[in-house]
Amino acid sequence: DIVMTQSPDSLAVSLGERATINCKSSQSVLYSSNNKNYLAWYQQKPGQPPKLLIYWASTRESGVPDRFSGSGSGTEFTLTISSLQAEDVAVYYCQQYYSTPSLVTFGQGTKVEIK
Amino acid sequence: QLQLQESGPGLVKPSETLSLTCSVSGVSISSSNCYWGWIRQPPGKGLEWIGSIYYSGSTYYNPSLKSRVTISVDTSKDQFSLKLSSVTAADTAIYYCARQDGSGLIGKYWGQGTLVTVSS
């Protein structure tokens, strides 16, 4: 199984400041035949299902504000919120889908709060 | 617009079988090159993928749950279902159904989730 580990578990950031979340996979999720990283990021607010933010490690989903960006390759990835807004308070998860269809795995989540 | 909706009992007794159905609207469940999956989330905890089914009926399960899970599809009703046997309190969770595209990305199509509590 590919284990996804996020850091930190939680962080508090001032409004307008940058928030950075890291995600490390236990093995590479870069598929060599198409040079794509099978890594997605989700945002989850209380009482709601997860919302897709980023896929292929760095492709922003339609309608997602451009303050959200994803980067990284292989085994190390980052989600950056360039200027934190109040509505960004949520838990963020990374997810690998490299193992599809056998086993999709998520990171443990990172809780983002306002300082 | 594709929509998914979970349904089923909200309370299941220990040792019994949890049964949920996901109704898909806006697209035929058999018309797309995609998988239909179940994910769960214990209260206050993270997300766990349970398994998925291709429209043809091929199934894929989380190894940690494989011995207790069955996912099936009814293309005539555009529904797919989850059965989890021998449940314990540890199976108490919000259960989501979702669409996975051909690459396996769960993406943007999720049900709203249904809370299932295991208790006598």
Side-chain angles (χ1 to χ4, degrees), chain A residues 42 44 61 93 100-102 104, chain B residues 41 49 60 96 104 106-108:
Chain A
Y42 296 84
Q44 188 178 32
E61 171 68 356
Y93 294 93
T100 297
S102 300
V104 166
Chain B
Q41 185 172 37
W49 179 81
Y60 308 90
Y96 296 100
I106 295 178
K108 62 181 180 179

Side-chain angles (χ1 to χ4, degrees), chain A residues 30-43:
Chain A
L30 173 62
Y31 197 40
S32 57
S33 65
N34 59 11
N35 201 36
K36 288 187 174 184
N37 287 284
Y38 284 56
L39 188 286
W41 289 96
Y42 296 84
Q43 174 194 67

Side-chain angles (χ1 to χ4, degrees), chain B residues 81-103:
Chain B
S81 299
L82 168 71
K83 291 188 186 298
L84 181 65
S85 63
S86 305
V87 297
T88 69
D91 295 310
T92 294
I94 297 172
Y95 285 76
Y96 296 100
C97 60
R99 174 188 175 274
Q100 289 179 251
D101 69 17
S103 72

Side-chain angles (χ1 to χ4, degrees), chain A residues 8 36 40 43 49 52 58-60 62 67 80 88 90 94 98 107:
Chain A
K36 288 187 174 184
Q43 174 194 67
L52 178 66
S58 60
T59 300
R60 195 179 304 114
S62 175
R67 63 180 180 273
T80 301
D88 301 334
C94 62
Y98 180 90

Side-chain angles (χ1 to χ4, degrees), chain A residues 1 38 40 42 44 47-52 54-56 61 93 95 97 100-108, chain B residues 35 39 41 45-49 52 60-63 96 100-108 110-113:
Chain A
D1 301 357
Y38 284 56
Y42 296 84
Q44 188 178 32
Q48 297 182 17
K51 173 188 174 183
L52 178 66
I54 304 284
Y55 57 99
W56 299 131
E61 171 68 356
Y93 294 93
Q95 175 227 327
Y97 46 107
T100 297
S102 300
L103 179 58
V104 166
T105 48
F106 294 88
Q108 79 276 18
Chain B
Y35 304 86
I39 301 98
Q41 185 172 37
K45 296 188 178 181
L47 298 160
E48 179 180 38
W49 179 81
S52 62
Y60 308 90
Y61 300 135
N62 188 323
Y96 296 100
Q100 289 179 251
D101 69 17
S103 72
L105 175 67
I106 295 178
K108 62 181 180 179
W110 294 68
Q112 281 301 304

